[in-house]
Amino acid sequence: MFEKLRKILNKTDADYADIRYENKKDTFITFKGKELTRIGSNSTDGYVLRVLKNSGFSSVAFTKESDAKNAIKSAIENAKLLAKNTEKPIKLAKADVIKDTFFPELIEDPRKISINEKLELTRKLNSIPLKHEKVINTTVGYGEVIRERYFLNSEGSEIREDLITTRLGGLITSKEGNLLQNIWVSTGGSDGFQNVRNQEENFEKQTSIVVDLLKAKPVKAGVYNCIVNPDLAGVFAHEAFGHFSEADIVESLPAMREKMKIGSKLGNDVVSIIDDATIPNQLGFYKYDDEGVAVRKVQLMKNGVLTGRLHSRRTAEEFDEPISGHCVAEDYRFAPIIRMGTIYIEPQKDSFENLLKKLGDGLYIIDAKGGQTAGENFTFGAQYGYVIKDGKLAGMIRDIYISGNLYQTMKDIIMVGNDLVLTKTGGCGKGQTNIRSCHGGPHILIKNVVIGGA
Amino acid sequence: MKKLLEIAKKVCDQAEVYSYENSESEVDFTHAELHDIKSKIQSGVALRIIKDRKLGFAYTCNLINREELLENALDSLKGKVKANYEFPFTKNLPNLNTYDNAIEKLAENLFVEECSRICDILKSKTDGEIEFGAGKDVTKIQIVNTSGTDVTNLTSSYGIGGSLIFPGGAAGVNRVFSKKKFQKTPDSILDEMISLYNSAKKVVEPKSGKMKVLFMPFSIYTLTWRIKSGTSAMSIYEKISPVADKIGKKIFDDKFTLYDDPLNDKYPGARAFDDEGVACKTFTLIENGVLKSFYYDLNYAKKLNAKSTGHGYRTIDWGGDPITLKPVPSLQYLTIKPGNKTFRGLVKMIDKGIILDGVMGAHSGNIPNGDYSVGVSPAFYVENGEIIGRVKDAMVAGNVYETLKNIVAIEDTVHDCWGGRFPAILCDNVSVATKR
């Protein structure tokens, strides 16, 4: 394959060029209720070519080798057009020339497990919620995505890496009278099939919660002091803060770029945030990004002070900051963009019990249900929660939606727990879907949170 | 395609080949300056086979080896996914005008010129951050099946859109404009962006409470997303629709009429058949507040003893590659019937309330139940018919089956926007939560 890619690169008359070929193998098994609705394995493939010509940088994605000639022409013409119409020349930060083949170590290789075994495991886990009379539906599936990547650039890098992601989970829906409630259940990872085994307890627990939610009270809209659990703390780190550590987002928002200067004090002293895709055996793990740069650990915030940023080679040069290896694509259909790898709030010393004691009266909200940001503002849902009175759980609540301002909330995080948990499945959508987007944190206490209710 | 169908026919009861070819390019402007140009040339083929009432499914980007693709589909039959439906025989479709060959010569430099022109206008009249993008798309879909269907759709589209962003964040006034070929963006769209932006530069902090909310076209998808969930044959089959027993009953205010309009080739992307080759039609879901119909693909129609309404599309909520997806019931051309008030007239009707121009988090929450709770992005506070300023850090929440019972008035114009073609809708008694 590298020879084929080299031929295409050799025909590309550019100051810099890279090409990535991917063969993507999917296996999907889906149940809706008791019924199997999808099963099968397939593969799709394609190329992404990027060129830097006359200081203009452009990309083209194509699926047929016979389209390579047109693709090269289009990328070069577009790069020239960019160069002609922009005052600031595009440069790429210097990166090491890498020749490497990296296949991740798998504890249990999913490719060696028969589709029948995957089917029976999914069927068994799906049957757990369906046993409950109040559960009226499930959408539970197994998904396996294998990206076989070949990367070549005109500087001499030649990298072969596989990314193997498994996940098992879905949505459980309960009903009583006219009231419907649902909850997500999920597990998975980047280091093998074992991640989706032994999940009975997880499915039992989520079933019990979705049934209990039928009796829970809708939360009253208002402003509360809240403890958020590790999953939600991770969503906060990702949605509210993380996206603005991505250089391609802040570069398009000058006011945010000004506020997010390295060295700015943005958060409370207890807040430290890291992105570290090099932690092995985590969902977000990879070695090289999709422009051939080795990913490194980045301390994004230390004791409330902004200390780092996530970059592509282009933005690292533009910001005059070090490259970080965070330029990642969903698959062969896309040119890479800057993505978080494994982002988390660093744990501190306080136990969950200490957080409850400090909270006194407020809410304890648990697990994320979608989130979105627009500049400094963010919103996300929680799957369920509890009212806390005098440091003790006092009744389950539902329909919890949080809205907030990044800068204010960073200051309003007043206590950070000691119990870090990282997520096992992801699905960040930033034009492309990143199924390996991993986030986490310990329990954290935030004051003055706006809760929308429903 | 036909060769693949021939060899599939020999080993199964029914077969369908779906082919997808797409080329697109787009230019992006940030800070009112050219930032990126990218393009795609992509294609693929998907095969569905039915044997002994079981479904087989396979796909590939490069149809080099037909036998291998068929082998994959045959292999997936082992899963015994039920398929009691039959692929349709579709003919005599209406001739839609979906393609303008002027698109082929449309080069990226024209997009750059048009975006520059717009950025210059917006820059001269506002102090907002400007993000704009323009692009073209040519898509060819062909479906052949063993029932004799052989249908092709070739569409061309040009689109432009962008945001005028308020300082400090990313919330802004968004607008889009699309046609089958290049056309200059009308001044009326830019004038509205400028006027809304300039009238709401001041940040205000109204008190929480129930008030009038003017759902602007770009926030309406929050509401239609819930209606799409409730009226899908999939939700009926899964028993998660709160309106499963409400056909013929009034569920919304009588000013509200919602229909699917795939045949309207005034807009780009019109379709005479869905992704299963079933003929499309103009299709009313809600008429004067009364629930008229649910929408079906072949699979769920058979399960529910109904007929496909031509709503089987290879889609998911976000992105997705059509060749890798199986058809599911989906509404792609939603349109809300306009009312009789101008936008300014609607604003004048607000004694106290907000204009919800955009939202965050429409995908969160209990969608089947009809619940929504969205962050404002942006919203403008109105008192006595005048915009007072912009609201930050607020949430608008409710249940679609309540909110649309309280319609005060609907705008007299439909706009191209995310999720369909919608007018603005003024509703009363909607919960708005702020920090006060």
Side-chain angles (χ1 to χ4, degrees), chain A residues 26 32 35-45 57-64 67 71 74 78 81-82 85-86 136-137 173 175 178-182 221 223 251-256 314 332-334 369-379 381 399 401-405 448 450-454, chain B residues 30-31 34-43 57-62 72 76 79-82 108-109 112 129 131 165 167-171 234 237-242 300 303 320-321 323-326 359-366 368-369 371-373 375 377 392-395 397-398 433-435:
Chain A
D26 299 322
K32 282 185 169 281
E35 193 178 331
L36 177 70
T37 60
R38 180 169 187 177
I39 184 165
S41 299
N42 279 282
S43 63
T44 46
D45 62 333
F57 194 39
S58 182
S59 70
V60 58
F62 58 103
T63 47
K64 283 184 186 159
D67 282 328
S74 161
N78 287 339
L81 183 62
L82 266 159
N85 286 279
T86 41
I136 55 153
N137 193 48
T173 306
K175 188 177 183 183
N178 285 328
L179 181 68
L180 282 166
Q181 288 295 306
N182 52 44
V223 180
E251 81 168 334
S252 65
L253 300 165
M256 289 205 80
R314 185 187 65 73
Y332 61 85
R333 295 173 297 150
F334 300 95
K369 206 176 193 177
Q372 198 178 347
T373 50
E376 61 191 290
N377 298 303
F378 64 86
T379 172
D399 304 336
Y401 304 93
I402 304 164
S403 169
N405 175 285
N448 298 328
V450 177
I451 304 267
Chain B
T30 57
H31 305 308
L34 180 60
H35 179 70
D36 194 12
I37 305 178
K38 47 184 182 271
S39 56
K40 285 185 180 181
I41 315 164
Q42 302 193 326
S43 58
F57 181 53
Y59 48 83
T60 179
C61 286
N62 285 291
N72 275 348
S76 71
K80 298 184 180 168
V81 173
K82 283 183 209 157
E108 286 77 5
N109 61 356
V112 172
E129 254 317 299
E131 285 194 7
I165 299 165
M234 186 154 48
Y237 181 73
E238 291 174 356
K239 299 188 172 59
I240 57 168
S241 167
Y300 284 96
K303 287 176 190 294
D321 186 351
I323 62 153
T324 68
L325 300 166
K326 285 198 311 180
V359 301
M360 276 188 297
H363 60 294
S364 299
N366 194 339
N369 220 38
D371 298 339
Y372 64 91
S373 190
S377 185
K392 285 169 73 176
D393 304 343
M395 297 199 83
T434 67
K435 283 228 170 187

Side-chain angles (χ1 to χ4, degrees), chain B residues 120-417:
Chain B
D120 287 346
I121 294 172
L122 296 178
K123 253 195 316 197
S124 69
K125 295 185 177 174
T126 73
D127 60 2
E129 254 317 299
I130 300 160
E131 285 194 7
F132 247 83
K136 68 172 185 176
D137 177 303
V138 175
T139 300
K140 184 181 172 191
I141 291 167
Q142 188 179 1
I143 298 170
V144 293
N145 68 30
T146 46
S147 299
T149 295
D150 182 351
V151 286
T152 303
N153 185 262
L154 178 65
T155 60
S156 62
S157 69
Y158 158 78
I160 188 164
S163 300
L164 192 49
I165 299 165
F166 292 102
V173 180
N174 296 294
R175 293 295 181 265
V176 297
F177 174 70
S178 62
K179 290 281 167 195
K180 282 173 280 188
K181 60 178 180 179
F182 176 78
Q183 200 172 310
K184 261 169 105 171
T185 309
D187 290 344
S188 59
I189 290 179
L190 305 179
D191 290 346
E192 187 183 291
M193 291 179 84
I194 293 162
S195 157
L196 268 178
Y197 178 90
N198 284 333
S199 64
K201 288 194 334 197
K202 191 174 96 185
V203 175
V204 292
E205 293 186 346
K207 276 188 191 165
S208 295
K210 295 219 167 184
M211 60 184 77
K212 286 198 177 80
V213 171
L214 178 57
F215 288 90
M216 292 293 278
F218 271 87
S219 61
I220 295 275
Y221 78 102
T222 309
L223 304 173
T224 53
W225 198 327
R226 275 87 190 144
I227 300 173
K228 282 159 81 169
S229 166
T231 54
S232 164
M234 186 154 48
S235 301
I236 305 299
Y237 181 73
E238 291 174 356
K239 299 188 172 59
I240 57 168
S241 167
V243 293
D245 56 352
K246 298 278 196 302
I247 290 280
K249 294 190 178 144
K250 193 152 180 270
I251 58 169
F252 297 129
D253 184 279
D254 55 17
K255 290 185 273 300
F256 189 73
T257 293
L258 177 71
Y259 59 102
D260 194 45
D261 198 15
L263 301 176
N264 188 346
D265 58 7
K266 194 176 99 186
Y267 296 98
R271 291 278 293 266
F273 59 90
D274 69 2
D275 284 347
E276 304 188 280
V278 177
C280 292
K281 56 188 174 188
T282 307
F283 182 81
T284 305
L285 282 125
I286 316 282
E287 189 168 34
N288 302 327
V290 175
L291 177 62
K292 302 300 278 186
S293 334
F294 303 126
Y295 59 98
Y296 300 86
D297 66 349
L298 288 172
N299 181 29
Y300 284 96
K302 190 71 187 178
K303 287 176 190 294
L304 292 162
N305 288 321
K307 278 190 173 169
S308 168
T309 51
H311 289 98
Y313 287 96
R314 295 168 179 264
T315 182
I316 46 172
D317 285 337
W318 278 279
D321 186 351
I323 62 153
T324 68
L325 300 166
K326 285 198 311 180
V328 289
S330 173
L331 294 163
Q332 299 280 311
Y333 302 89
L334 268 189
T335 308
I336 293 173
K337 191 178 159 189
N340 55 10
K341 298 281 177 196
T342 62
F343 167 65
R344 291 290 159 196
L346 289 169
V347 177
K348 286 281 170 221
M349 294 172 83
I350 304 174
D351 47 348
K352 192 186 84 166
I354 63 164
I355 300 170
L356 186 60
D357 199 54
V359 301
M360 276 188 297
H363 60 294
S364 299
N366 194 339
I367 290 174
N369 220 38
D371 298 339
Y372 64 91
S373 190
V374 289
V376 303
S377 185
F380 314 120
Y381 183 62
V382 178
E383 265 184 12
N384 303 319
E386 299 292 336
I387 296 174
I388 306 291
R390 178 162 52 98
V391 187
K392 285 169 73 176
D393 304 343
M395 297 199 83
V396 177
N399 179 290
V400 71
Y401 299 107
E402 287 303 315
T403 303
L404 289 179
K405 277 185 186 135
N406 300 320
I407 296 176
V408 179
I410 298 181
E411 193 192 3
D412 58 5
T413 312
V414 293
H415 305 268
D416 255 353
C417 47

